[in-house]
Amino acid sequence: MRSLSLCASAAPLLLLFGYGANAAPRKTLNTRYTVNQQRANTVKEAFQTSWDGYYKYAFPHDSLRPMSHGFADDRNGWGASAVDAFSTALVMENWEVIDQILEYIPTIDFDKTYDEVSLFETTIRYLGGLVSAYDLLTGPLSTQSNQPARIEAILHQARHLANNLKVGFDTPSGIPDNSLFFDPPRKGGSSTNGVATIGTLVLEWTRLSDLLNNTEYADLAQKAQSYLLRPSPAVGEPFPGLLGTNVRLSDGQFVDGNGGWGGGTDSFYEYLIKMYLYDPKRFGEYRERWIKAADSSIEFLVSHPTTKPELTFLAIWKGKTLEFISEHLACFNGGNFILGGLTLNEPSYTEFGLALVDGCHETYHSTATGIGPEIFAWQDARHALNSTYNNRAVPVDQRLFYNTTGFWIENGQYVLRPEVIESYYYAYRATGDVKYQDWAWEAFEAVVEVCRVGSGYSSIRDVNRRDGGGFHDFQESFWFAEVLKYSFLIFAEDAPWQVKADHTNQFVFNTEAHPIRVYGGHEGATS
């Protein structure tokens, strides 16, 4: 077995930037947690407000339009907010809402939709939400519900949905078509698919197979994943472990070498370490690929802004050329490095993850609303300002802002994204440091203050205007699944579904924050 230590090239850089095991230590890591019931209850109240508005004005449609008290069917009209809210209601033990969703699940007609079906979005929201609810209700919450028929209906619906989705994998290579249509199930005719939309199916489809004792679903997702674990041609892997974005359905070959830890590629890297946590016996190769990607990120992508070089961000790449730009979506990366460090007993990864968390905290702390922007950029401290390898000049109207904050805003909207609070959660569960609880509370209070409108909460147009710059009149389903769940869990009592720092994990979160029970029931189990 390969050593869990960092590769030779990455380890010196960790020490250079102050992240290594021999660097000046942060606060001593511990796993003692501080429950703050008052804050947890406040988050539960926000969940109830969101649910009440959705249930009154939008259910069983997908999403609430809180300003106009209307609805949107943006995820095929199967009740995305209800399914995304399911696991959050369960970890909050909100039995009134749980019973409403339990009653609804058997009525969903997964054969009917008038819109294009995204294999990726349907997997992470619907399939992940159903499998997670089943795991929770047959696991740690099994004594709390006396509706066995409805609980079994959850798994039946998950299987039925997967049976409709599996047509997507019927391609010459096994790389799925992300674009599908139902009634009858058929492919949309795509020629390529993306790394994230290929590589973020394997946890949900493997778990479904394990629950059903039927390898069919796992085999489909794992075959598709195999092209990402062993990428070809060389253009698809510009740095060791770091991939391009688009892959041909015809032969599984990469067609570009552009990527990053943001949208389009992000959750592929996220799932590598999570699959190893799910079952280390079957997914050792995933561990190796995550280590390779993590080491290359540290060696090649680390960037510090010219005006605040103490901050750490990860650049994106086009081939071997870096661009110093990031996004809210990419701020999950701190939490993912932290989870990798905990899972692999490698504190240097955890320390590096905490540095990334610090950087993303600055994007929240620095704006007028206290909420981070969708896209931000900076100039890299290692390159001359006029270098062709650096970003363009700072926008004139943001020079003062950049001098103070270390980044400027490329897109100022906030669409109720969870990634920064998600990484605060992992930082807290790794360290027990209440600083991360305080940061999460500041973020939660800012979002509640600025995004509360009408019958719920809405995405906003400009995080650097005190009033948010106006509303989009849209409450995303992942507001229920992710923002409210992570905001609650960071203050809640320890529970089987909480992330553990001591190798006793019983669950791993999918990319929609649905807790999936690890194979064998606990971390390290082999059967």
Side-chain angles (χ1 to χ4, degrees):
M1 179 178 288
R2 165 166 150 19
S3 168
L4 294 181
S5 63
L6 296 172
C7 73
S9 58
L13 283 168
L14 277 175
L15 297 174
L16 174 64
F17 292 124
Y19 310 131
N22 296 323
R26 289 172 175 256
K27 185 174 180 179
T28 302
L29 302 186
N30 64 75
T31 56
R32 291 178 296 176
Y33 302 117
T34 303
V35 176
N36 191 317
Q37 199 61 55
Q38 182 177 357
R39 289 179 176 179
N41 288 340
T42 301
V43 179
K44 291 170 76 170
E45 290 168 6
F47 174 88
Q48 191 67 53
T49 296
S50 305
W51 176 261
D52 289 345
Y54 165 73
Y55 198 70
K56 180 175 181 179
Y57 294 109
F59 178 83
H61 298 279
D62 289 333
S63 301
L64 171 69
R65 295 194 181 278
M67 294 179 70
S68 55
H69 306 307
F71 63 84
D73 280 328
D74 55 302
R75 293 296 164 202
N76 303 105
W78 297 321
S81 287
V83 179
D84 257 352
F86 203 177
S87 65
T88 303
L90 284 163
V91 301
M92 291 180 174
E93 300 192 54
N94 184 330
W95 289 100
E96 179 181 358
V97 173
I98 292 166
D99 287 342
Q100 289 171 329
I101 301 173
L102 266 174
E103 183 178 1
Y104 170 64
I105 294 298
T107 72
I108 302 174
D109 187 354
F110 283 124
D111 295 326
K112 303 290 185 182
T113 182
Y114 297 105
D115 303 312
E116 180 178 322
V117 178
S118 165
L119 174 61
F120 164 75
E121 294 287 359
T122 306
T123 292
I124 65 171
R125 300 184 197 224
Y126 287 109
L127 188 60
L130 293 171
V131 168
S132 172
Y134 185 81
D135 272 340
L136 290 166
L137 285 165
T138 58
L141 296 175
S142 60
T143 62
Q144 303 299 308
S145 178
N146 59 355
Q147 302 185 66
R150 284 184 172 167
I151 292 172
E152 286 306 309
I154 298 170
L155 186 59
H156 172 81
Q157 285 285 60
R159 182 174 193 168
H160 184 77
L161 176 59
N163 284 339
N164 282 348
L165 292 171
K166 69 183 181 182
V167 68
F169 295 93
D170 184 16
T171 67
S173 65
I175 293 287
D177 190 335
N178 189 58
S179 173
L180 306 177
F181 295 91
F182 283 5
D183 194 24
R186 60 200 187 278
K187 300 186 295 292
S190 305
S191 60
T192 62
N193 198 353
V195 164
T197 44
I198 299 165
T200 317
L201 311 173
V202 65
L203 176 58
E204 296 84 352
W205 287 68
T206 297
R207 183 59 184 160
L208 180 63
S209 272
D210 288 344
L211 288 170
L212 296 171
N213 195 27
N214 176 351
T215 64
E216 176 186 11
Y217 308 101
D219 290 345
L220 291 170
Q222 290 173 31
K223 181 180 180 182
Q225 191 88 359
S226 69
Y227 292 95
L228 310 184
L229 298 175
R230 297 177 285 280
S232 177
V235 68
E237 191 174 10
F239 304 102
L242 299 176
L243 308 184
T245 297
N246 295 297
V247 182
R248 283 196 300 258
L249 273 60
S250 60
D251 57 9
Q253 297 286 289
F254 275 81
V255 299
D256 66 66
N258 308 329
W261 283 77
T265 54
D266 47 1
S267 44
F268 160 67
Y269 302 105
E270 175 187 357
Y271 272 28
L272 291 176
I273 195 64
K274 288 185 173 182
M275 290 308 296
Y276 180 71
L277 175 57
Y278 176 75
D279 184 2
K281 185 175 181 180
R282 276 184 287 176
F283 298 104
E285 185 178 7
Y286 291 58
R287 165 193 174 274
E288 297 301 318
R289 293 299 297 188
W290 185 86
I291 290 171
K292 189 173 287 189
D295 288 354
S296 284
S297 297
I298 294 164
E299 181 175 359
F300 299 111
L301 307 184
V302 166
S303 178
H304 307 285
T306 53
T307 57
K308 293 199 77 170
E310 67 272 23
L311 298 182
T312 300
F313 299 126
L314 292 180
I316 66 172
W317 61 89
K318 291 186 176 180
K320 291 186 179 295
T321 300
L322 301 185
E323 294 189 1
F324 304 105
I325 189 168
S326 192
E327 56 185 320
H328 199 293
L329 279 166
C331 281
F332 89 96
N333 57 22
N336 195 242
F337 270 87
I338 291 167
L339 179 64
L342 295 177
T343 303
L344 302 177
N345 288 320
E346 180 48 79
S348 293
Y349 288 136
T350 300
E351 288 293 318
F352 183 70
L354 293 172
L356 293 174
V357 173
D358 289 350
C360 286
H361 170 257
E362 189 67 23
T363 69
Y364 266 56
H365 176 72
S366 301
T367 69
T369 58
I371 304 170
E374 181 75 357
I375 302 174
F376 58 94
W378 65 96
Q379 291 183 313
D380 181 70
R382 292 174 298 179
H383 297 293
L385 296 183
N386 60 353
S387 167
T388 57
Y389 296 104
N390 217 332
N391 266 347
R392 59 178 171 80
V394 182
V396 174
D397 62 345
Q398 295 195 64
R399 285 177 181 171
L400 180 60
F401 182 80
Y402 177 65
N403 288 340
T404 304
T405 66
F407 69 96
W408 68 83
I409 296 171
E410 292 278 338
N411 181 331
Q413 68 177 334
Y414 171 69
V415 295
L416 303 179
R417 292 206 188 277
E419 291 80 16
V420 174
I421 295 176
E422 172 185 354
S423 284
Y424 293 164
Y425 170 72
Y426 279 95
Y428 172 67
R429 295 298 299 183
T431 67
D433 191 337
V434 297
K435 171 181 74 175
Y436 299 110
Q437 288 183 310
D438 292 339
W439 286 3
W441 184 245
E442 290 166 4
F444 175 76
E445 284 196 308
V447 171
V448 167
E449 178 184 352
V450 179
C451 298
R452 178 75 173 95
V453 64
S455 49
Y457 297 84
S458 172
S459 53
I460 58 174
R461 300 181 185 277
D462 188 350
V463 297
N464 216 24
R465 289 180 54 180
R466 190 65 191 89
D467 63 357
F471 299 98
H472 290 296
D473 192 20
F474 195 75
Q475 181 176 281
E476 293 276 1
S477 73
F478 53 69
W479 165 252
F480 286 107
E482 301 186 74
V483 178
L484 292 171
K485 184 183 286 101
Y486 288 125
S487 295
F488 169 73
L489 290 178
I490 199 169
F491 301 115
E493 294 179 353
D494 204 11
W497 45 77
Q498 292 269 28
V499 168
K500 314 290 187 181
D502 60 355
H503 295 285
T504 60
N505 284 289
Q506 298 180 45
F507 286 80
V508 58
F509 290 99
N510 89 332
T511 197
E512 193 82 356
H514 294 305
I516 306 294
R517 194 162 193 182
V518 301
Y519 187 66
H522 60 87
E523 184 175 354
T526 58
S527 63

